[in-house]
Amino acid sequence: MPKMSRLEPRALDSTGTTSANTDSEAQPLPRALTSHAISVTDKGDLVLIIRHQSSGEEGLYRVDTRRIRDASSYFDKLLHPEKFSEGLAVFMAQQKLRSYYAESSLVPWDKLPRIGISDAGQTSKANLFEKYLKDFLRILHGLDISTSRPSTSYFANIAIIADRLEALPVVVAYIKKSNCLQKLDGQPNKIRRAFSQERLRQRLLVGSLLDYPDWIESASERLILGSQQIKDPQGDISHDVDDVMWWDLPGCLEARQCKLGYDSSAQCDSFQLGEMVRFFTRMGTIRMQGLIYDASEAAEPYDGDIQQLLENLRQCPSYQIDQNHAHCGLRVRLLPALTCIQRWIELDAKLCGISWQNDRGTYAWTNHEKVAKWSFLKVPDSTRKRVLTRSCDNSCNSVHQGSRELFTAKERDWTPSDR
């Protein structure tokens, strides 16, 4: 029977090797683990020894082999008697126990076959790992979770474990049936506005892994507009696992960044140009630089709050040299462009949960080439109307395409339009 390679499920007990009781004599459980023994079901015929990836702490979980194999392709492969030697050892031990006991519930813990799992995912909070695993395994057995008031962090860790142990469909079905996330989402807006970067990342991870588009949209919008998508995790809420999954979001989510460019329109005279330079310099968004600057280098992404930036830009002064220049200057050219940008980001500066889940290949920006030049006047009337009314539904690909072209274009035409 072949052993597992690094690319296959890893099964280790507390000594580093797979173990399965194969005789009728009681084999004592590791003394350090007896206080961490949880019976997910009294009818369990197998003991899982699961180790926290970072802390190394382990716990025992009595489970039903058939249940976890039906719910998890990871366990189905690991415990298959014809695929891995570990699965065969467990199968042989269970067959022998059936000759001594009429029911699995009568078998003592120390006589059950045991198999270890050394990696259950990049989770956090080792002291709560046991609770996460217990409820995850309860879901796999068709039982309700035991946690009375689950938090966002709780669901994020459950999702991480389900992803690692290949049981997402079962967990997603339970979450939808129980409306757990809708209940958690029913908090006052004033509380939701106070979400930290870590909490927003957890919500985005949960929305992506557990198929909850509302959290994908709301969390991604706050992360993008708040410029928190590149923030050092050490600067936010402290956590005990540096590489926990929500700090390195899967599925190309981290590649989805918003980069806005700003055009300096030609001015009617040097006075207007001088006012522009003074205004932007005071804001700290530009600086005067000599010819040694390499203009061919890509601009760095803006790492402030985009909404605040737009509001600041709207404060630009209006200067009229004389009666012949009533419609000249920075303000008259800048405000229409700001209005255009504002409407686009309010509609699409976030991940559309429906498009991300159902049509990711077409929707993802990284799958498309940049357009050479973008012009608001060339946007189709149907798309422009939806942007102006800030509407989006199941057929919103044209809107997403328009925003992608605007924010990634090599050049932009900011010709004012009152349409």
Side-chain angles (χ1 to χ4, degrees):
M1 185 63 59
K3 290 288 185 181
M4 291 175 287
S5 70
R6 291 184 179 181
L7 298 180
E8 295 167 330
R10 300 174 61 193
L12 304 173
D13 69 4
S14 58
T15 64
T17 58
T18 300
S19 67
N21 296 350
T22 56
D23 55 37
S24 59
E25 295 298 325
Q27 298 186 17
L29 294 171
R31 181 176 301 176
L33 298 182
T34 54
S35 62
H36 298 279
I38 295 176
S39 180
V40 179
T41 172
D42 293 336
K43 298 180 180 180
D45 57 0
L46 173 67
V47 174
L48 298 177
I49 303 178
I50 304 182
R51 180 185 305 167
H52 186 268
Q53 188 179 27
S54 177
S55 70
E57 295 184 10
E58 296 177 327
L60 299 174
Y61 304 86
R62 184 167 184 161
V63 298
D64 184 305
T65 302
R66 181 183 62 82
R67 285 280 193 173
I68 64 173
R69 285 190 63 185
D70 288 344
S72 162
S73 57
Y74 174 94
F75 285 125
D76 186 45
K77 290 179 287 188
L78 178 63
L79 298 171
H80 197 294
E82 297 179 0
K83 290 185 177 181
F84 297 114
S85 58
E86 293 79 8
L88 177 60
V90 169
F91 176 77
M92 295 295 293
Q94 291 173 338
Q95 288 290 94
K96 194 166 187 177
L97 287 172
R98 290 190 182 99
S99 66
Y100 289 94
Y101 300 95
E103 297 180 1
S104 298
S105 59
L106 301 177
V107 182
W109 273 74
D110 55 6
K111 288 192 175 182
L112 289 171
R114 304 192 294 270
I115 194 165
I117 307 296
S118 64
D119 180 7
Q122 296 172 266
T123 58
S124 69
K125 300 184 183 299
N127 60 318
L128 298 178
F129 186 59
E130 187 176 279
K131 180 179 73 172
Y132 302 146
L133 275 171
K134 175 183 176 181
D135 280 350
F136 166 73
L137 292 171
R138 285 181 65 86
I139 293 174
L140 265 54
H141 284 76
L143 304 172
D144 286 331
I145 59 176
S146 60
T147 304
S148 58
R149 299 184 64 182
S151 64
T152 301
S153 176
Y154 166 91
F155 285 115
N157 281 283
I158 291 289
I160 291 170
I161 296 172
D163 179 61
R164 174 65 183 90
L165 300 182
E166 301 176 21
L168 281 174
V170 173
V171 175
V172 168
Y174 174 81
I175 294 296
K176 291 185 175 180
K177 180 180 179 181
S178 61
N179 292 323
C180 292
L181 300 183
Q182 289 90 332
K183 294 175 183 176
L184 184 60
D185 217 16
Q187 301 180 53
N189 288 333
K190 65 180 180 180
I191 297 179
R192 290 202 295 269
R193 283 200 298 268
F195 282 155
S196 66
Q197 180 192 170
E198 182 170 33
R199 188 69 71 237
L200 290 170
R201 282 177 166 271
Q202 289 171 348
R203 290 168 71 90
L204 183 52
L205 178 68
V206 171
S208 176
L209 292 182
L210 300 187
D211 191 21
Y212 192 54
D214 287 354
W215 279 16
I216 295 177
E217 294 184 15
S218 61
S220 63
E221 179 181 28
R222 291 297 303 277
L223 286 169
I224 292 171
L225 297 184
S227 297
Q228 299 181 85
Q229 72 276 16
I230 57 174
K231 185 175 179 181
D232 185 349
Q234 296 300 328
D236 204 71
I237 295 176
S238 61
H239 49 282
D240 56 352
V241 180
D242 291 335
D243 59 351
V244 66
M245 184 183 282
W246 54 74
W247 290 117
D248 186 16
L249 294 166
C252 298
L253 286 170
E254 290 287 357
R256 180 78 154 82
Q257 297 182 6
C258 178
K259 300 180 180 180
L260 301 180
Y262 299 94
D263 182 83
S264 56
S265 302
Q267 301 302 305
C268 58
D269 56 30
S270 59
F271 176 80
Q272 296 291 351
L273 176 61
E275 290 302 319
M276 288 175 61
V277 172
R278 189 165 73 93
F279 172 71
F280 288 119
T281 301
R282 187 169 62 245
M283 283 186 57
T285 57
I286 67 167
R287 65 176 182 271
M288 301 300 294
Q289 196 161 350
L291 295 177
I292 60 172
Y293 173 78
D294 186 356
S296 64
E297 293 182 354
E300 292 294 324
Y302 181 73
D303 84 339
D305 189 299
I306 294 176
Q307 294 281 26
Q308 187 60 52
L309 173 63
L310 294 178
E311 182 60 28
N312 291 342
L313 290 172
R314 287 185 178 277
Q315 306 307 314
C316 65
S318 177
Y319 292 94
Q320 182 178 345
I321 299 177
D322 56 35
Q323 61 182 1
N324 298 317
H325 293 269
H327 299 287
C328 298
L330 170 63
R331 185 175 180 83
V332 74
R333 289 178 175 268
L334 182 60
L335 290 188
L338 294 178
T339 300
C340 171
I341 295 173
Q342 182 74 40
R343 287 167 173 166
W344 278 103
I345 67 172
E346 287 179 352
L347 178 69
D348 215 34
K350 56 191 172 186
L351 294 182
C352 173
I354 295 175
S355 297
W356 183 258
Q357 297 296 91
N358 298 335
D359 194 17
R360 187 175 304 181
T362 302
Y363 176 63
W365 288 14
T366 53
N367 295 340
H368 298 271
E369 296 290 334
K370 296 181 178 180
V371 297
K373 186 173 183 178
W374 178 92
S375 171
F376 185 71
L377 296 179
K378 293 183 180 179
V379 176
D381 289 339
S382 59
T383 302
R384 186 185 299 117
K385 180 178 180 181
R386 299 179 71 184
V387 173
L388 294 176
T389 57
R390 304 171 189 172
S391 61
C392 189
D393 54 31
N394 290 336
S395 58
C396 51
N397 282 336
S398 61
V399 177
H400 299 319
Q401 177 183 350
S403 63
R404 182 181 69 245
E405 292 176 353
L406 163 63
F407 293 130
T408 63
K410 297 178 181 178
E411 295 182 32
R412 300 171 186 83
D413 181 3
W414 296 111
T415 301
S417 171
D418 56 359
R419 285 184 286 176

